[in-house]
Amino acid sequence: DMSTNENDASTQADNSSVDWPTIVLKHLDAAKNFIDEHCNEALNDEGKSALKYAALQRFLPQLARLCLKQGSHFAEIGMNEHAMKALNIDLTATNSCLANIKEEKGRTEKKNEAQMLQNLEADIVVISIESFYLLSTVLQSLGEKQE
């Protein structure tokens, strides 16, 4: 019977103390460090413009969205410390992305590239605002617990 095997496997997984929130944060932080290391190199090297735009258009925004999503999930289930850590990674990623966009906007003379950067900047600003709002909510609930 297959269903008993599945139940046994899930029971075993529940019994081993898998600290999934810490694992999630560790991987988000590792992703941020990887992106920082490789993207900073690309952003500072004119010969790597394809990698630079991949970093700006995909890697940093996706990391920011993922951290916001995880931070929101942690906050919903009352794991405020974990939510703060995820949102911190998120805000670091959005800050880095906005700084690089600003630099690129000053450098580009192509109209379509400037428009792409403008759209990306607007998207990242929205993520930042959502993160700050969620972070303030988390901090407020932490403050209420301490009183």
Side-chain angles (χ1 to χ4, degrees):
D1 184 35
M2 287 292 284
S3 62
T4 55
N5 289 347
E6 286 173 18
N7 290 340
D8 290 346
S10 68
T11 307
Q12 286 172 350
D14 292 342
N15 290 340
S16 67
S17 59
V18 174
D19 182 10
W20 67 266
T22 303
I23 291 169
V24 167
L25 287 172
K26 193 172 90 178
H27 284 85
L28 289 174
D29 204 38
K32 182 185 89 51
N33 292 336
F34 177 82
I35 290 170
D36 284 348
E37 189 178 318
H38 292 280
C39 294
N40 286 345
E41 180 187 320
L43 290 165
N44 295 324
D45 182 347
E46 281 305 311
K48 295 186 176 175
S49 62
L51 182 56
K52 173 173 34 185
Y53 283 111
L56 282 179
Q57 287 181 276
R58 287 200 294 276
F59 305 143
L60 286 167
Q62 284 176 347
L63 176 65
R65 282 187 199 94
L66 184 60
C67 290
L68 176 58
K69 183 179 172 184
Q70 288 301 327
S72 179
H73 179 67
F74 286 140
E76 281 174 24
I77 60 175
M79 300 186 87
N80 290 325
E81 299 290 331
H82 289 78
M84 281 176 33
K85 288 177 184 167
L87 293 169
N88 185 32
I89 296 169
D90 175 18
L91 290 168
T92 303
T94 55
N95 184 50
S96 172
C97 197
L98 287 170
N100 289 321
I101 289 170
K102 184 177 179 184
E103 197 175 300
E104 287 305 306
K105 278 171 70 175
R107 193 181 300 166
T108 190
E109 292 170 14
K110 298 177 188 157
K111 192 168 172 51
N112 62 343
E113 211 171 82
Q115 186 60 54
M116 178 275 295
L117 290 167
Q118 189 73 39
N119 295 343
L120 183 60
E121 185 178 45
D123 196 27
I124 297 297
V125 166
V126 169
I127 295 170
S128 298
I129 291 168
E130 289 177 13
S131 298
F132 275 118
Y133 175 76
L134 184 57
L135 187 59
S136 69
T137 307
V138 167
L139 289 170
Q140 191 174 8
S141 75
L142 277 173
E144 288 168 4
K145 281 183 184 171
Q146 289 177 347
E147 287 176 8

